[in-house]
């Protein structure tokens, strides 16, 4: 135990001052506290040795030592506060958020153009009282062909080159089998649309083996031909956001009679550009197949064709979205490269 005298009181004081200068963090400060005021600390030892002093010196030395203890404790408190303040400030600065900085820009997800088109047309048709029906993509010949007035021997089967499974089922070649399924399930009167994927053995710049269609079917009593024309015009004007010109061309589908194909005026040039890349100068775009539902089809749906009739249409959703959004190559729709779409093709709003 050090002997207590003025000399070593000063020495402790000085060594504390020196040591305090080297302290940079709270852990160092705590070491310092232990070194001087801990159980075996320099100051503590001096305080303990007070008792050994002759009584005439004790009082004086006691006052000195207590003063030094107060100074040391005060200095430790002050330094601790300073260190804590500066650490807090450092943390605050490092975590500070500058709300005035410009944003880095972000790429958000969006619906595929074909899905957007599907939603838009479905919304329009729902506004006209149609409900959305669905059916399987792996379909039975019965629904895909037979019920639609296309028996096995029928040459119209060649119009839709089909993918068959070994068990005789097939990938549906159109959404028309949903007409039958819906009639069987819901009966008449009926208004449905059926969007979905269809498959054909076709693969070139304008055809893909998988594509998207939307079927429409209305069955009711005394449905006039004009309702079909009006419905198609209503749907397409709403979809393209303008009043278009229409052309109905006589055509053939086994499941409708009479049958026709619908052309709309070219949405790109309205027939004013003989070099138009969309209509190739014809001024017209073929968009849908349709017709008054054949009585055999109504019958296959277990509805009496003497009481009910109706119309049906099939529209290509891929083509619709290409026309609306100015997409020039069908293959871009099925390509995994999203940069084309993110670069703001033909004016779809990014959401
Ligand atoms: N299913 C026909 C096709 O895919 C389109 C269509 C549907 C035609 C309904 C008439 C009525 O080509």
């Amino acid at each position: 135990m050090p002997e207590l005298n003025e000399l070593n009181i000063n020495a402790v004081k000085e060594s504390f001052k020196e040591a305090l200068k080297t302290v940079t963090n709270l852990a160092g400060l705590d070491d310092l506290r232990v070194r001087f005021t801990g159980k075996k600390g320099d100051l503590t030892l001096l305080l303990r040795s007070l008792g050994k002093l002759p009584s005439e010196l004790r009082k004086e030395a006691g006052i000195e030592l207590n003063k030094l203890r107060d100074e040391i404790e005060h200095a430790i408190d002050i330094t601790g506060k300073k260190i804590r303040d500066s650490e807090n400030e450092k943390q605050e600065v490092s975590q500070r958020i500058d709300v005035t900085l410009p944003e880095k820009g972000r790429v958000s997800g969006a619906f595929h153009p074909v899905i957007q088109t599907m939603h838009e047309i479905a919304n329009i048709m729902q506004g006209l009282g149609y409900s959305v029906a669905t059916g399987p993509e792996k379909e039975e010949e019965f629904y895909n062909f037979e019920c639609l007035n296309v028996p096995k021997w029928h040459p119209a089967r060649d119009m839709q080159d089909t993918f068959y499974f070994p068990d005789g089922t097939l990938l549906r070649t159109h959404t028309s089998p949903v007409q039958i399924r819906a009639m069987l399930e819901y009966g008449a009167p009926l208004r449905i649309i059926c969007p979905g994927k269809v498959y054909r053995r076709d693969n070139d710049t304008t055809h893909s083996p998988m594509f998207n269609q939307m079927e429409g079917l209305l069955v009711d009593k005394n449905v006039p031909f004009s309702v079909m024309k009006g419905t198609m015009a209503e749907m397409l004007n709403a979809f393209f956001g303008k009043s278009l010109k229409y052309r109905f061309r006589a055509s053939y589908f086994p499941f409708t009679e009479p049958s026709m194909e619908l052309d709309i005026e070219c949405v790109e040039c309205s027939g004013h550009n003989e070099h138009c890349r969309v209509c190739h100068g014809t001024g017209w775009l073929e968009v849908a197949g349709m017709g008054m539902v054949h009585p055999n089809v109504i019958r296959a749906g277990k509805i009496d064709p003497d009481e009910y009739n109706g119309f049906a249409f099939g529209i290509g959703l891929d083509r619709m979205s290409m026309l609306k959004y100015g997409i020039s190559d069908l293959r871009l729709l099925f390509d995994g490269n999203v940069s084309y779409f993110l670069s703001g093709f033909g004016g779809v709003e990014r959401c």
Side-chain angles (χ1 to χ4, degrees):
M1 190 167 290
E3 202 182 311
L4 185 58
N5 57 38
E6 206 176 312
L7 221 70
N8 51 29
I9 292 181
N10 273 340
V12 168
K13 194 176 189 168
E14 285 311 311
S15 73
F16 174 78
K17 274 189 190 163
E18 282 308 305
L20 186 62
K21 283 184 200 158
T22 64
V23 169
T24 53
N25 55 33
L26 289 174
L29 188 66
D30 203 48
D31 289 347
L32 186 76
R33 190 183 53 75
V34 172
R35 190 177 136 196
F36 285 90
T37 62
K39 258 190 200 158
K40 293 182 183 159
D42 292 357
L43 181 70
T44 314
L45 295 180
L46 285 182
L47 276 162
R48 277 203 205 135
S49 65
L50 256 181
K52 287 190 196 150
L53 278 185
S55 55
E56 64 275 16
L57 295 177
R58 204 183 294 156
K59 189 175 170 204
E60 190 84 5
I63 291 172
E64 281 298 303
L65 276 181
N66 279 331
K67 215 172 100 192
L68 179 57
R69 191 187 52 199
D70 288 350
E71 277 173 23
I72 287 179
E73 282 174 354
H74 183 65
I76 288 174
D77 280 354
I78 296 281
T79 310
K81 188 173 177 320
K82 274 190 199 154
I83 294 172
R84 271 191 298 276
D85 283 354
S86 98
E87 280 178 1
N88 284 346
E89 196 181 314
K90 263 188 227 152
Q91 200 184 0
E92 210 177 279
V93 169
S94 72
Q95 292 176 354
R96 194 171 288 163
I97 296 168
D98 184 351
V99 291
T100 65
L101 283 177
E103 72 158 334
K104 279 188 197 144
R106 67 206 147 91
V107 176
S108 48
F111 283 117
H112 188 282
V114 174
I115 301 296
Q116 291 186 39
T117 296
M118 196 183 269
H119 287 168
E120 283 170 38
I121 299 185
N123 270 341
I124 297 165
M125 294 307 287
Q126 280 170 328
L128 295 177
Y130 286 71
S131 306
V132 176
T134 54
E137 286 172 32
K138 183 173 184 284
E139 187 52 285
E140 291 167 34
E141 264 193 310
F142 180 70
Y143 293 106
N144 195 82
F145 289 127
E146 250 104 294
C147 294
L148 289 164
N149 204 27
V150 193
K152 263 206 168 57
W153 49 264
H154 201 290
R157 287 218 181 182
D158 297 344
M159 283 163 73
Q160 302 181 354
D161 221 345
T162 312
F163 290 109
Y164 283 95
F165 291 100
D167 66 358
T169 59
L170 47 82
L171 286 174
R172 68 180 179 192
T173 54
H174 49 180
T175 41
S176 300
V178 185
Q179 288 185 29
I180 306 295
R181 289 179 176 276
M183 283 192 279
L184 291 174
E185 193 167 342
Y186 306 114
L190 183 66
R191 287 180 200 198
I192 53 128
I193 47 165
C194 166
K197 295 191 183 78
V198 300
Y199 304 83
R200 290 182 201 174
R201 285 178 184 270
D202 244 344
N203 200 8
D204 57 42
T205 47
T206 52
H207 294 92
S208 141
M210 185 283 295
F211 56 104
N212 296 274
Q213 266 194 346
M214 186 181 287
E215 192 80 9
L217 172 71
L218 180 145
V219 178
D220 212 327
K221 288 182 177 160
N222 305 317
V223 179
F225 189 87
S226 57
V227 169
M228 173 172 71
K229 287 165 88 177
T231 305
M232 298 308 284
E234 187 77 24
M235 175 176 87
L236 293 164
N237 284 349
F239 178 68
F240 287 106
K242 54 182 165 187
S243 190
L244 296 160
K245 279 197 209 115
Y246 296 90
R247 184 171 80 173
F248 293 87
R249 273 182 297 107
S251 184
Y252 172 74
F253 298 103
F255 27 90
T256 46
E257 185 57 40
S259 301
M260 67 219 71
E261 274 165 286
L262 170 60
D263 296 343
I264 56 173
E265 97 189 42
C266 178
V267 290
E268 179 79 12
C269 75
S270 300
H272 301 312
N273 177 3
E274 57 180 304
H275 305 295
C276 176
R277 64 185 178 91
V278 178
C279 68
H280 304 293
T282 64
W284 294 101
L285 302 167
E286 182 187 320
V287 293
M290 74 193 74
M292 301 305 284
V293 184
H294 196 290
N296 288 349
V297 175
I298 302 256
R299 203 171 289 119
K302 300 260 186 292
I303 295 172
D304 180 0
D306 292 330
E307 204 181 339
Y308 288 96
N309 72 332
F311 71 84
F313 66 86
I315 194 158
L317 293 174
D318 311 283
R319 184 153 166 77
M320 282 290 127
S321 58
M322 288 172 72
L323 291 175
K324 179 155 180 180
Y325 301 130
I327 300 165
S328 52
D329 186 338
L330 175 76
R331 288 166 299 187
L332 284 169
L333 292 175
F334 308 117
D335 191 302
N337 182 359
V338 294
S339 58
Y340 173 73
F341 294 103
L342 293 176
S343 68
F345 66 100
V348 166
E349 271 181 31
R350 282 209 261 156
C351 45

